[in-house]
Amino acid sequence: MPRIPEAAARIADEALVAGEWRRGAGAPARTVDPATGRELATVHAVTVEEVAEAAEAAARAAADPHWRGLLPHQRARLLHRIAALIDDDAEHLAALQTADTGKALTETRALVASAAGTFRYTAAALETAEEALTPSRGDYVTMSVYEPIGVVGAINPWNSPVASDAQKLAPALAGGNAVLLKPAEWTPLVSLALGRLIGRALDELGLPAALLSVLPGRGGIVGDAIVRHPRVGKVTFTGGTATGRTLAHAAADKLMPVSLELGGKSPTIVRADADVEQALAGVMFGVFSSSGQSCVAGSRLFVARELYAEFVGELVERVAKLRVGPGTDPGTQVAPLVHHQHRDAVARYVDLAREEGARVLCGGAAPEGPSYADGAYYLPTVLDGLPNSSRTCQEEIFGPVLVALPFDDEDDLVRQADSSVYGLACGIWTRDHRAAWRIARRVEAGTVWINTYKQFSISTPFGGMKDSGLGREKGRDGIRSYQRQKSLYWGTADTPLPWAE
Ligand code: NAD
């Protein structure tokens, strides 16, 4: 296993612009290991002019017959090759992502494996996707076919870059497009490393190098330039709801499709008939894995009133024992947050909860001791005593903070669960399969987990309702959202159209 310093020694800090690796001509930004506060690299942002250069080159690459002329099974070869290169470099990518995001190595290894799996699944979906011969209603054959959009902008947040990059790059390339990828300011390193691997695969297969550009920099500058560039025909975005709304406005001006994977404040429901051991483990994993920095974090816990005191009491005892430490320690369960600034933002939310009248049942502070002094750590925190209407219960904190609430009956539960602008995910813990079915169908959430939580499959569509997003990623149809549908009518009559007679 490469240790973090070795991973850091192999850091690629250059941008990939129009098929060329170079230092961006924009402002430098330090990326920091949040476990230690030490600098990992200085990555220079690209400029708006470099975005335009990348977009023009991407449009030429997308139209290049060496790419545009490939049949689906031939394009699939690229995705298989990328998957193999990710597998070969898996330990390095995992160590790099742990260094850049702070996440536990156990988790970043799983994310890297899922990224390779995403490319493989998408290759298989691409080779087996069918176009339709629609029922004819005249002297013609009717067909519905799919074509590339051209240039796709892919903009990602900092929490799981290798997985979210793969979820956008695989279907966008499978769809026959070129991609401009913008990583988040705090975590550009894995996307740049992935760019190196994809660049190698393109080179090996003799494909245009400008099919992928990796463009680090500020969202309001580089991201905005990608979204507004006239060559960009679709933007696929994962990030906060406010940013997503800004992008949707820009996309509306261009009449450009946009897919938005946004924030959440997901309810986890424990009914009185739940298997308590399973529910305890699932609730803790659902919110405290990734230190709560997950869009689907089950951050609002609803427990049946008759079980509430017993369940929350036991939960707090176990949460207080969770192991907080660096992501490189195999025993760590709660790793540092992505950045010291983000840790401070989470701490301010807990201060707000106190002002709103919350009881802090455990956590509520950074851990003490010399080994935590320089890192962006925060203790897993459980709060209660707040109404669902409080800001603490309504706003996404994106950290290791769980707020617990009791519920009286199913109507009260569903009303509270749905009293949120978000609708990303929901967890239900119960032994009653009929109740599980009823609640799962009533609650407004893009994904519902029953007696499990935070499990993902590339074969199953993912996305949000309400302010949690627009559109779906993953699944067999994922590729189609990166294509344009075209209808063909092919005349079969021997005689001219009757009107012309
Ligand atoms: P963010 O919205 O601040 O940034 C996301 C990306 O957008 C970054 O690359 C950023 O540079 C870019 N950006 C910012 N302003 C932009 C603009 N005006 N134009 C174009 N690009 C711009 O989000 P974040 O803080 O990096 O990530 C956390 C958020 O992401 C949370 O709200 C979380 O819920 C959400 N998220 C959602 C999912 C999902 O699948 N639904 C997954 C992970 C994270």
Side-chain angles (χ1 to χ4, degrees):
M1 178 188 81
R3 300 181 58 74
I4 298 304
E6 287 171 42
R10 278 184 57 201
I11 282 173
D13 56 5
E14 291 177 316
L16 176 57
V17 183
E20 186 195 326
W21 286 99
R22 63 166 94 140
R23 170 182 281 195
R30 292 166 67 235
T31 82
V32 166
D33 179 347
T36 60
R38 278 201 293 272
E39 178 172 336
L40 290 165
T42 296
V43 174
H44 287 251
V46 298
T47 59
V48 169
E49 291 72 29
E50 286 176 310
V51 171
E53 184 187 342
E56 293 296 343
R60 286 193 297 277
D64 185 325
H66 290 103
W67 176 242
R68 177 75 197 218
L70 293 184
L71 294 168
H73 71 283
Q74 296 167 322
R75 279 207 303 274
R77 286 184 57 211
L78 172 66
L79 306 193
H80 280 300
R81 184 64 191 131
I82 294 169
L85 289 171
I86 291 173
D87 280 342
D88 290 348
D89 216 21
E91 278 300 321
H92 170 64
L93 290 171
L96 195 58
Q97 179 151 336
T98 289
D100 212 13
T101 64
K103 280 195 169 196
L105 256 180
T106 42
E107 191 181 339
T108 54
R109 283 193 183 125
L111 290 171
V112 171
S114 91
T118 295
F119 277 97
R120 284 206 180 86
Y121 172 86
T122 310
L126 173 61
E127 281 204 52
T128 54
E130 292 180 356
E131 293 175 321
L133 202 59
T134 53
S136 175
R137 293 177 73 92
D139 288 334
Y140 43 76
V141 172
T142 45
M143 287 181 230
S144 177
V145 297
Y146 293 87
E147 297 182 349
I149 290 169
V151 182
V152 169
I155 301 179
N156 270 329
W158 42 256
N159 56 329
S160 301
V162 76
S164 38
D165 288 356
Q167 266 167 45
K168 291 175 166 43
L169 291 173
L173 291 169
N177 303 287
V179 188
L180 307 180
L181 172 67
K182 196 202 92 62
E185 291 90 321
W186 285 341
T187 59
L189 300 181
V190 168
S191 306
L192 294 171
L194 195 57
R196 292 262 169 195
L197 299 182
I198 296 177
R200 193 170 138 198
L202 292 170
D203 186 47
E204 284 175 10
L205 297 175
L207 295 171
L211 282 173
L212 174 67
S213 284
V214 185
L215 306 171
R218 299 263 301 276
I221 300 171
V222 175
D224 184 69
I226 292 172
V227 174
R228 292 181 194 281
H229 196 280
R231 294 283 188 198
V232 174
K234 166 170 176 146
V235 164
T236 169
F237 171 80
T238 299
T241 296
T243 316
R245 199 164 262 127
T246 305
L247 260 64
H249 282 291
D253 282 343
K254 288 171 69 179
L255 287 181
M256 169 179 75
V258 61
S259 75
L260 304 172
E261 298 289 352
L262 308 177
K265 189 81 182 181
S266 299
T268 304
I269 296 158
V270 180
R271 281 176 40 103
D273 58 14
D275 178 324
V276 168
E277 274 304 312
Q278 283 206 7
L280 284 166
V283 167
M284 288 198 294
F285 177 73
V287 65
F288 296 123
S289 59
S290 314
S291 304
Q293 303 165 112
S294 165
C295 53
V296 295
S299 50
R300 277 187 305 155
L301 170 65
F302 291 99
V303 185
R305 196 176 291 279
E306 60 264 48
L307 186 65
Y308 186 84
E310 184 192 331
F311 187 88
V312 174
E314 180 62 29
L315 179 75
V316 166
E317 271 190 31
R318 297 192 191 194
V319 171
K321 291 182 195 145
L322 289 175
R323 294 183 297 275
V324 179
T328 44
D329 181 340
T332 289
Q333 290 167 297
V334 183
L337 302 183
V338 68
H339 198 281
H340 291 72
Q341 280 176 30
H342 184 57
R343 190 269 311 271
D344 296 346
V346 169
R348 282 196 296 277
Y349 256 115
V350 177
D351 290 343
L352 168 76
R354 287 189 175 99
E355 284 164 27
E356 289 189 306
R359 287 194 303 163
V360 180
L361 303 178
C362 65
E368 289 177 0
S371 57
Y372 299 118
D374 297 325
Y377 292 98
Y378 199 79
L379 287 171
T381 299
V382 181
L383 309 169
D384 87 342
L386 289 174
N388 190 40
S389 56
S390 63
R391 282 184 60 195
T392 306
C393 292
Q394 289 295 316
E395 297 180 17
E396 186 184 43
I397 299 176
F398 221 61
V401 181
L402 175 69
V403 57
L405 302 111
F407 69 87
D408 292 316
D409 56 36
E410 207 164 292
D411 286 339
D412 174 44
L413 166 69
V414 173
R415 193 169 46 248
Q416 291 200 69
D418 283 348
S419 290
S420 164
V421 295
Y422 295 115
L424 193 57
C426 170
I428 304 169
W429 298 92
T430 178
R431 286 192 174 94
D432 182 336
H433 67 273
R434 289 188 185 85
W437 173 257
R438 278 195 313 271
I439 298 167
R441 297 308 301 259
R442 284 180 74 183
V443 93
E444 293 178 301
T447 295
V448 178
W449 285 290
I450 298 163
N451 293 329
T452 186
Y453 203 89
K454 216 177 160 189
Q455 303 301 306
F456 288 110
S457 161
I458 180 64
S459 58
T460 307
F462 179 79
M465 294 181 179
K466 305 194 283 187
D467 279 10
S468 291
L470 207 60
R472 295 289 177 267
E473 288 190 332
K474 306 186 181 178
R476 289 187 67 84
D477 293 337
I479 299 168
R480 295 307 190 205
S481 69
Y482 291 91
Q483 294 182 312
R484 297 186 289 201
Q485 199 168 8
K486 183 178 277 180
S487 298
L488 300 177
Y489 286 68
W490 195 320
T492 53
D494 291 331
T495 53
L497 289 173
W499 178 88
E501 283 173 0

